[in-house]
Amino acid sequence: QVQLVESGGGLVQAGGSLRLSCAASGIIFSIKNMAWYRQAPGKQRELVAVITWTDTTNYADSVKGRFTISRDNAKNAVYLQMTALKPEDTAVYYCIQATSVSSTWLPVGSWGQGTQVTVSS
């Protein structure tokens, strides 16, 4: 059974930084594409960043240059380093396995609990 546990969220002032972590179990992590999504209050969940099993990365335009996704296959973990945070980054952040279908990244499996990130102005 796949289990994804996100951590590292919190309250930070605009301009600050946070590092999110996601611990995965129940999958052969090293051959999986992994992604971070976020959902702000009243909005649809959106893709933030993807890292493929070959370490290729993709980012939403809104976070390019500010966020960095990385992975540690030895620890079955994926990370999201967030810098220059803005109030509009406030959301619950989720990690999940992802697959590319017709050049569109789609989530695979069940969502975890997520971790809340709140950026104050």
Side-chain angles (χ1 to χ4, degrees):
Q1 184 177 355
V2 179
Q3 187 172 16
L4 302 166
V5 180
E6 302 93 343
S7 62
L11 173 64
V12 64
Q13 287 189 331
S17 300
L18 280 174
R19 187 190 191 217
L20 306 184
S21 299
C22 172
S25 60
I27 57 174
I28 306 174
F29 183 80
S30 62
I31 60 170
K32 301 298 185 183
N33 304 316
M34 298 297 296
W36 285 96
Y37 284 76
R38 68 185 180 187
Q39 187 167 22
K43 294 188 177 181
Q44 287 190 330
R45 203 166 304 191
E46 63 174 354
L47 178 65
V48 175
V50 175
I51 185 165
T52 70
W53 68 277
T54 58
D55 285 341
T56 299
T57 58
N58 288 282
Y59 297 92
D61 288 343
S62 59
V63 306
K64 278 181 183 176
R66 300 189 298 122
F67 290 10
T68 303
I69 189 171
S70 61
R71 64 192 297 159
D72 184 338
N73 290 337
K75 296 182 178 179
N76 280 10
V78 61
Y79 306 100
L80 187 67
Q81 179 69 48
M82 305 186 295
T83 63
L85 282 161
K86 304 175 181 180
E88 51 264 44
D89 294 319
T90 295
V92 179
Y93 284 71
Y94 304 86
C95 73
I96 197 164
Q97 183 186 337
T99 189
S100 179
V101 178
S102 300
S103 301
T104 299
W105 286 103
L106 299 174
V108 176
S110 301
W111 298 98
Q113 299 270 5
T115 186
Q116 175 71 49
V117 172
T118 303
V119 184
S120 63
S121 57

